[in-house]
Amino acid sequence: MDRKIRVLVAKPGLDGHDRGAKVVARAMRDAGMEVIYTGLRQTPEQIVQAAVQEDVDVLAMSILSGAHNHLFPRVMELLADKGASDVLVVGGGVIPEDDIPFLESKGIAAVFGPGTPTSATIEFIKANVKRR
Amino acid sequence: MPAKALPSALEAAASILRGDERALARLITGLEDGDPAAAGTLRALRGGSAAVGQLTAQVVGVTGPPGSGKSTLVDKLISAYRAKGLRVGVLAVDPSSPFSGGAILGDRIRMQRAEAGPGGGLDPGVFIRSLASRGRLGGLSRATAQSARALEAAGYGVVIVETVGIGQSEIDIARLADTVVLVSMPGSGDDIQVIKAGVMEIGDVFVVNKADREGSDRVVREIRAMLETGATLRQDLALRQGGAAELQPVLKTVAETGEGLPELVLALDARWAKLNASGELASRRARGAAAEARSLLAERALAELALLEPGLEEGLAMEIVRGEREVAEAAEILFSAIRK
Amino acid sequence: MGDTDKLRASVEAWRAGVDKSLAKHPERKASFETGSDAPVERLYTPLDLEGEGYAEAIGLPGEFPYTRGVQATMYRGRLWTMRQYAGFGTAEESNERYKYLLAQGQTGLSIAFDLPTQIGYDSDHPLSAGEVGKVGVAVDSLVDMEVLFAGIPLDKVSTSMTINAPAAVLLAMYVAVAEKQGVSPSALEGTIQNDILKEYIARGTYIFPPAPSMRLITDVFAYCARSVPNWNTISISGYHIREAGSTASQEVAFTLADGIAYVDAAVKAGLDVDDFAPRLSFFFNAHNDLFEEAAKFRAARRMWAHIMRERFGAVNPKSWMLRFHTQTAGSTLTAQQPDNNVVRVTLQALAAALGGTQSLHTNSRDEALALPTEASVRIALRTQQIIAYESGVAETPDPLAGSYYVESLTDRVEKEALAYLARIDELGGAVRAIEEGYVQREIQDAAYAYQKKIESGERVVVGLNKFQVPEGRPTGLLKVDPSVGERQAAALRALRLRRDGARVAAALRGVDAAARGDANMMPPILEAVRAYATLGEICDAMRAVFGEYRPGSTF
Ligand SMILES: Nc1nc2c(ncn2[C@@H]2O[C@H](COP(=O)(O)OP(=O)(O)OP(=O)(O)O)[C@@H](O)[C@H]2O)c(=O)[nH]1
Ligand SMILES: [Mg+2]
């Protein structure tokens, strides 16, 4: 069986800074993953619907607007509603360290701050993705 | 005699029929991965649907050059069919990277809808799935046709398959779709994006998108001219069979604004009605299924060969190169190796 | 033997000598590159500038083609405007910060708006949840603008507003506030960013599709030419293009390509080029590669002068001059060892001053982490003050001119950018090139290549991939009070009860009618603003007619 890691790269919130998300998406592709890129201004509802329909192993969200404490937990809630809590969820962008424990308590597996090499994100995913 | 469905397959099929998106998504993943359990689920699902006469989705293939506006058109088609009360399933296929085997699948961007469905949440009547072509050079993944059938069986009345028109994919799309929409657009500058010759045959409906741009009328004329040439060649045959060769519709659209979309939907409806009334639908699908089975057979045979006699193929190839053997002979040897 | 031949001979001898000694004294690297990955030679001499007439290529400060600057005396006359971008939370809080900055010696205001404002949503819109007041100040209606500028006489400050898709609405609000202060629109000075093309390319706060967006922009040009003559009607921005990962040459190329598209649109709309072109302004990034960046600004000025004179036939010298604001590069700041960022900002600010900027924003050291604190903002401002008053670079125009290296860098940036402009013309102009995703793809390719070089260690970023130290969590970062959203929503509810509903409805019908026709949009927008229609309501009226932009995949 030919199992590929499928990742949804999403930008919740209103900020339009997608350089990081796009660089990470390319790096994931070059690491052999299948990346579904959904672009800017995704609502938590849209993100979760896409994660379910695309049956992804990983949901990677990037946000630079500061709305992470509002939007990330909402995504986690909706994933749980859909019985999709087994999706590995990671976050990135400009997220102050002080907020990370809170986000982790909501089920975000890891938060990658500015300057994280893409290889670190990819290794984390490969090590932590839940094989089904 | 067909194998009996496993209880787990029946369960999964029942969940999908109850509208469980996650179960459907899982099934497609299983089909992509070549999971035998998924094959069982698909059988159970289609069996269940066939029993209640639900295997009746119109499968529309949308293909054309990169950036011609396929996803935007699909987005508008989704809205049009939703307005008719049909549930819509979409498969958006993008090529895998030949280097890493990975892929970036970006068609969904254009098709996502923000507007709420009847329940207040997102519209549950639309299911969009992005697929990577996975190794089949330029072609569709093996799972594409199976996934289309899964969507049909899950109750999506229209199944739209978007593929980039490169390499092998046109042939594949013609096999799996009831209707193929070939999208083109006015080119930029001198290089006019006319559909490659040889691909014309698979088009059932021709769309010249981005008609808001200069040069769309010329593209329409060029396509018509090519179709007429083709038709003249076929005319004799058609006359002998007692009919005239009908020209495929060539339509202009501006997918961005929805202009020309009602006409496109009408053309698709007309084609669908005709396929059903003439009985051509069943024969076309049978042809497609046979072709699909043949390529699976070929794939299977090659896999078997690699398993049974590793290195045999390569050895024969070298003998051919050295002039010690002819190709036909080598094929004969391979064939008997499999038959053993 | 002429002088050139003599020089050529001696340079060749020098090269041969160096080549020989390389075995013993190898260079640090096999090849050297600028910050934008362009090759750097071992030596630059007058030979690199051969065939170039000084007068045509470089000229004098304040004269065509303005390579050396747009004013004759440059900073000997007046220093650049020191303009720190600020704004957060509510209008009251931002108003206080502006007053503080003015008291600190800042000479212009630069308003940052929150994302809902930038995208034309009211604070109580569902998509605004969690975003209100986060990256700038929330403005829902004229009420907020009145508070924002309370006690700040609008005829005494120049105000720059980072607002794009709804720029016409925010400009109308500014004019309306001025009216209430008894200040005539003709006395207003400032800038609205109003640059939608780079939003599609790089920044993402678009609302409408390109065609109606371009129309709104040319409507602002026309309106300001008549009524707000000292207003910079657009700030054509390479800043965000660079932040998205472009090279220096791409930054120049794509910015000027956007500029060409705006001028084209305005001329097509019937405006005389010399009526609006003098009010066009630009906005660039400043990165760490001091010489390449200074050269970039010089190249951009020279190119624009030619474009305006030759391509558009402008005859007013003011139309030829590329005036620009600069901001130091946020993307170069590291979250690791954030104090190092002060040094980066210094280099970048120096490049901007050497490149002849008209105004400058210096980033704060903690911007890679969160909104900057007051202390960080002060250091950032002090950085440019030290450059202005202590470094000596402001004492003569274009001090780098004549440097063989800088002049050849200037030529190279120009050459590469011209090649891009030619390609974009072939594709049918900037709007089309953006719709096709061409511009975005070029930038993404550069961004990805850059990232790979950092990860491989080929490119060193101090503190990030070399010279790291174990670090604790940074502290003392400014946070926005999460209740801003509720306060704004409550204020909106109160406003909707208080205002004259019939007047609002009539004004919004006016906006709708103008959008459907082709009259200038500014007067009906101004009327709606005066009636206290909200930003969201006005934008919704336009959305209903114009539709909304939806980006495609650009991989
Ligand atoms: N002017 C114009 N642009 C259009 C039209 N339809 C689509 N576009 C634009 O064309 C670009 C490509 O559209 P897509 O729908 O992503 O095209 P696609 O064929 O699906 O592209 P790939 O999946 O990448 O091959 C986008 O920028 C669209 O906005 C149209 O009718 N007119
Ligand atoms: Mg597409």
Side-chain angles (χ1 to χ4, degrees), chain C residues 252-263:
Chain C
V252 170
F254 300 150
T255 309
L256 299 193
D258 290 349
I260 290 170
Y262 295 125
V263 176

Side-chain angles (χ1 to χ4, degrees), chain B residues 3 14 52 62 77 99-100 108 115 119 143 154 160 167-168 176 192-193 213 226 230 244 247 263 314 321 333:
Chain B
V52 294
V62 177
L77 285 174
F99 306 107
S100 69
R108 198 182 176 97
E115 67 266 33
I160 307 177
Q168 180 64 29
L176 79 84
I192 306 157
Q193 296 260 20
R213 294 191 176 170
M226 283 171 86
L247 277 196
E263 291 79 1
E314 290 80 359
V321 171
I333 293 169

Side-chain angles (χ1 to χ4, degrees), chain C residues 25-343:
Chain C
H25 306 288
E27 294 181 324
R28 278 185 291 118
K29 300 186 280 185
S31 65
F32 290 76
E33 285 95 29
T34 66
S36 290
D37 250 355
V40 178
E41 301 301 327
R42 186 169 293 139
L43 178 69
Y44 291 83
T45 69
L47 296 175
D48 294 289
L49 310 180
E50 240 188 317
E52 190 168 90
Y54 176 84
E56 306 88 78
I58 302 171
L60 296 172
E63 291 181 13
F64 192 89
Y66 306 101
T67 313
R68 303 201 60 181
V70 293
Q71 292 111 9
T73 58
M74 285 305 290
Y75 306 136
R76 290 168 71 104
R78 194 167 70 89
L79 288 167
W80 61 85
T81 303
M82 301 182 188
R83 203 192 282 281
Q84 300 296 98
Y85 180 78
F88 60 93
T90 62
E92 285 92 350
E93 289 165 300
S94 296
N95 177 258
E96 270 169 44
R97 175 70 76 102
Y98 298 148
K99 287 178 176 162
Y100 168 83
L101 286 169
L102 291 171
Q104 290 295 305
Q106 178 166 314
T107 46
L109 291 179
S110 180
I111 318 287
F113 296 98
D114 72 357
L115 286 162
T117 305
Q118 294 184 49
I119 301 174
Y121 295 130
D122 286 337
S123 295
D124 56 359
H125 189 282
L127 288 176
S128 302
E131 308 272 12
V132 177
K134 281 280 158 61
V135 303
V137 57
V139 171
D140 289 318
S141 75
L142 185 56
V143 174
D144 296 314
M145 284 292 262
E146 288 163 359
V147 173
L148 197 57
F149 295 106
I152 301 174
L154 296 191
D155 51 349
K156 296 284 174 349
V157 290
S158 98
T159 303
S160 165
M161 293 192 264
T162 300
I163 194 75
N164 293 280
V169 185
L170 273 295
L171 173 63
M173 287 183 181
Y174 194 78
V175 169
V177 173
E179 284 169 353
K180 298 210 158 182
Q181 288 189 358
V183 172
S184 151
S186 61
L188 294 177
E189 277 184 39
T191 308
I192 40 174
Q193 202 162 71
N194 203 22
D195 171 12
I196 198 65
L197 293 178
K198 66 91 176 53
E199 297 296 330
Y200 302 133
I201 295 174
R203 192 166 171 274
T205 65
Y206 40 71
I207 304 177
F208 315 113
S213 296
M214 295 298 277
R215 174 205 166 176
L216 277 171
I217 290 167
T218 51
D219 281 357
V220 167
F221 288 1
Y223 170 80
C224 288
R226 275 197 311 275
S227 309
V228 204
N230 298 318
W231 196 262
N232 295 314
T233 51
I234 192 166
S235 172
I236 307 165
S237 307
Y239 182 80
H240 318 89
I241 290 173
R242 191 68 180 278
E243 287 293 289
S246 84
T247 64
S249 306
Q250 288 174 341
E251 179 188 355
V252 170
F254 300 150
T255 309
L256 299 193
D258 290 349
I260 290 170
Y262 295 125
V263 176
D264 261 333
V267 169
K268 282 213 181 84
L271 304 186
D272 184 294
V273 67
D274 284 314
D275 280 351
F276 67 86
R279 298 320 306 174
L280 304 178
S281 66
F282 288 81
F283 174 20
F284 288 113
N285 205 311
H287 267 239
N288 290 327
D289 190 323
L290 186 68
F291 296 122
E292 184 177 49
E293 293 300 299
K296 174 187 80 182
F297 300 122
R298 303 174 81 244
R301 258 194 312 267
R302 182 156 80 203
M303 290 173 70
W304 189 245
H306 282 288
I307 289 167
M308 290 311 290
R309 197 175 71 173
E310 284 130 40
R311 182 171 181 145
F312 292 109
V315 293
N316 183 350
K318 287 219 151 57
S319 303
W320 304 335
M321 293 179 195
L322 179 146
R323 296 169 301 120
F324 66 100
H325 172 70
T326 305
Q327 182 173 339
T328 58
S331 64
T332 64
L333 303 187
T334 59
Q336 296 73 18
Q337 305 177 38
D339 287 347
N340 294 345
N341 292 328
V342 174
V343 184

Side-chain angles (χ1 to χ4, degrees), chain A residues 29 34-35 53-55 83, chain B residues 29 100 103 105 108 130 134:
Chain A
R29 175 197 59 197
E34 290 181 354
V35 182
Q53 295 185 347
E54 299 289 354
D55 192 28
Chain B
T29 305
S100 69
L105 311 170
R108 198 182 176 97
S130 314
R134 298 225 178 153

Side-chain angles (χ1 to χ4, degrees), chain B:
Chain B
M1 219 184 78
K4 268 236 303 273
L6 293 167
S8 60
L10 288 173
E11 234 169 73
S15 300
I16 293 172
L17 288 172
R18 274 197 310 273
D20 180 345
E21 284 197 339
R22 189 126 215 264
L24 176 58
R26 281 274 152 94
L27 167 60
I28 295 177
T29 305
L31 294 170
E32 283 201 278
D33 296 343
D35 181 352
T41 304
L42 180 58
R43 262 201 52 65
L45 179 64
R46 295 190 74 233
S49 294
V52 294
Q54 209 184 283
L55 285 187
T56 56
Q58 176 180 8
V59 182
V60 179
V62 177
T63 192
S68 49
K70 301 178 293 295
S71 299
T72 315
L73 268 179
V74 171
D75 178 59
K76 290 294 190 305
L77 285 174
I78 295 173
S79 302
Y81 286 114
R82 287 301 291 143
K84 287 168 177 256
L86 287 166
R87 296 170 71 210
V88 185
V90 176
L91 299 172
V93 188
D94 270 327
S96 297
S97 157
F99 306 107
S100 69
I104 295 182
L105 311 170
D107 291 319
R108 198 182 176 97
I109 292 188
R110 289 234 143 224
M111 302 177 194
Q112 286 186 124
R113 30 227 44 247
E115 67 266 33
L122 293 176
D123 186 352
V126 182
F127 187 101
I128 303 169
R129 177 64 176 248
S130 314
L131 301 175
S133 60
R134 298 225 178 153
R136 301 256 350 252
L137 262 181
L140 300 184
S141 73
R142 182 181 340 123
T144 311
Q146 294 172 345
S147 302
R149 283 197 288 272
L151 288 172
E152 174 181 52
Y156 292 89
V158 178
V159 176
I160 307 177
V161 184
E162 174 186 336
T163 64
V164 185
I166 43 170
Q168 180 64 29
S169 67
E170 281 103 350
I171 315 298
D172 290 350
I173 193 81
R175 273 182 195 168
L176 79 84
D178 303 322
T179 301
V180 174
V181 178
L182 258 183
V183 184
S184 56
M185 62 170 171
S188 32
D190 300 326
D191 78 306
I192 306 157
Q193 296 260 20
V194 189
I195 301 161
K196 290 176 290 197
V199 174
M200 295 292 286
E201 288 76 59
I202 66 154
D204 302 304
V205 175
F206 289 79
V207 166
V208 177
N209 188 41
K210 307 200 185 183
D212 51 327
R213 294 191 176 170
E214 251 169 73
S216 57
D217 287 320
R218 194 176 60 220
V219 180
V220 168
R221 277 198 305 276
E222 283 170 15
I223 293 173
R224 287 231 168 90
M226 283 171 86
L227 290 175
E228 274 157 19
T229 316
T232 322
L233 295 177
R234 285 198 311 268
Q235 192 70 27
D236 290 347
L237 185 68
L239 281 178
R240 253 180 282 140
Q241 289 170 348
E246 225 178 287
L247 277 196
Q248 297 92 321
V250 185
L251 306 168
K252 286 201 294 184
T253 59
V254 182
E256 200 71 72
T257 61
E259 243 178 276
L261 257 291
E263 291 79 1
L264 173 58
V265 173
L266 276 181
L268 292 175
D269 287 348
R271 156 112 183 141
W272 184 236
K274 197 177 131 222
L275 280 175
N276 279 293
S278 64
E280 199 188 328
L281 181 66
S283 60
R284 182 177 168 114
R285 283 192 174 189
R287 275 201 309 277
E292 195 186 333
R294 269 200 304 276
S295 42
L296 281 183
L297 168 69
E299 245 175 71
R300 173 77 206 282
L302 291 175
E304 196 82 346
L305 189 64
L307 215 64
L308 286 175
E309 304 258 3
L312 176 62
E313 203 183 336
E314 290 80 359
L316 286 169
M318 283 317 294
E319 290 178 20
I320 297 170
V321 171
R322 287 196 299 268
E324 297 162 9
R325 224 179 256 293
E326 286 313 296
V327 175
E329 248 178 297
E332 205 50 48
I333 293 169
L334 292 175
F335 183 60
S336 26
I338 298 171
R339 281 204 354 177
K340 271 206 297 243

